[in-house]
Amino acid sequence: METKWLEDFVSLAETRSFSRSAQLRHVTQPAFSRRIQALEAWAGTDLVDRSSYPTRLTPAGETLYGQSLEMLQALQSTRAMLRGHTSAGQDVIEFAVPHTLAFTFFPAWLSSLRDKFGPIKSRLIALNVHDAVVRLVEGGCDLLIAYHHPSLPFQLDADRYEMVSLGEEVIAPYCRPDAQGQPLFQLPGQVGQPLPYLGYAPGAYLGQVVDFMLKQASTPIHLDRVYETDIAEGLKAMALEGHGLAFLPHSAARNEVQAGKLVSAAPAGLPGMQITMDVRAYREKPAVRETHKGGAHRGATMPKRTAQALWDYLREQAPLQ
């Protein structure tokens, strides 16, 4: 039996909806249903009455719900005590960060933070966006740092998580220049002569944002996807070798643009070829919230002192929302 099954079950007991809980737990609905079924197989009895709508628990499910709250709270408390055995661990802030931000935004942001906030010990956990969010949901990090765009919002429960904006990032097309400093590949391309396109792999968050931008473009864009990968640094390396154009965060391309190794692949007269996203930090709220039944929900562990001090600082410095 896995503890995440209990997390899933508690969510289902509170939302009474498989689809809503799947969103909150950041899994597909079929995967969420399989995990509930796995918990029922472990328990040896039905926990959910599937003959009713909205979803309700069986008597056995009601019993497990109460026990799950106690078990999860005990595990959280035990984890906090274990981490408290090492004072060094209390000083280290654990960040879950998607790969692209880990390469581009995070190093410069951390340098600025040390200059203004003071010395900070950090541990970076680089993941894809989905796994980084799951890391936060399952209590495996102090802060999640991720991109945000209104077209692709995270389905994080506002009652349980809070957010602060760290700034903005611009995504735009870049390519290698020719001998005269002009772009080797210039948008929008032509019918029958599409431009070689270095794209993000299916499911990548930045890829979905770029796809949204291209669909909204007022001018038809003609691209031929010749390469794809999950992270912007991989696309930049291919663009530097002249394999095609890539949509990159400004922070990833800035140094190469200044050195003349990359140039914009969009002419000034072509509108809509860049998109601005927020860079946000998320954390689980430290307060224990109440369930709809009036009982104490499995509470978030209290944040580390250094993590709380950093969060307070970030809130003070955050741009106006």
Side-chain angles (χ1 to χ4, degrees), residues 267-289:
L270 184 63
M273 283 298 101
Q274 68 177 34
I275 194 166
T276 301
M277 299 188 300
D278 279 344
V279 179
R280 295 182 172 185
Y282 300 84
R283 75 162 184 174
E284 188 173 19
K285 292 181 179 179
V288 176
R289 62 184 173 91

Side-chain angles (χ1 to χ4, degrees), residues 204-313:
Y205 187 84
L206 288 185
Q208 295 176 59
V209 172
V210 171
D211 288 345
F212 171 80
M213 176 176 60
L214 293 174
K215 289 176 182 177
Q216 300 297 311
S218 57
T219 301
I221 306 298
H222 306 285
L223 300 172
D224 178 23
R225 183 183 291 261
V226 297
Y227 177 79
E228 61 184 33
T229 187
D230 286 333
I231 59 175
E233 287 295 311
L235 297 181
K236 182 175 74 174
M238 292 293 285
L240 286 168
E241 292 296 326
H243 291 290
L245 68 88
F247 285 83
L248 302 172
H250 176 69
S251 59
R254 178 174 51 236
N255 292 339
E256 287 73 18
V257 170
Q258 292 175 350
K261 296 179 180 180
L262 287 177
V263 295
S264 173
L270 184 63
M273 283 298 101
Q274 68 177 34
I275 194 166
T276 301
M277 299 188 300
D278 279 344
V279 179
R280 295 182 172 185
Y282 300 84
R283 75 162 184 174
E284 188 173 19
K285 292 181 179 179
V288 176
R289 62 184 173 91
E290 300 298 311
T291 68
H292 61 280
K293 293 190 174 183
H297 188 277
R298 55 182 185 81
T301 56
M302 292 305 294
K304 300 171 185 174
R305 291 184 300 273
T306 50
Q308 182 62 53
L310 174 59
W311 188 261
D312 292 341
Y313 170 80

Side-chain angles (χ1 to χ4, degrees), residues 48-110:
V48 179
D49 182 355
R50 292 174 173 80
S51 66
S52 65
Y53 184 85
T55 300
R56 66 183 180 189
L57 304 182
T58 63
E62 292 286 358
T63 298
L64 182 61
Y65 173 56
Q67 294 296 314
S68 294
L69 293 175
E70 294 182 11
M71 286 188 283
L72 290 169
Q73 180 62 61
L75 285 172
Q76 291 278 14
S77 299
T78 301
R79 181 190 218 176
M81 287 189 291
L82 294 175
R83 290 184 172 184
H85 280 296
T86 168
S87 59
Q90 283 293 315
D91 293 336
V92 178
I93 302 177
E94 295 178 296
F95 295 91
V97 185
H99 289 110
T100 292
L101 280 167
F103 280 109
T104 59
F105 174 84
F106 190 81
W109 176 76
L110 189 62

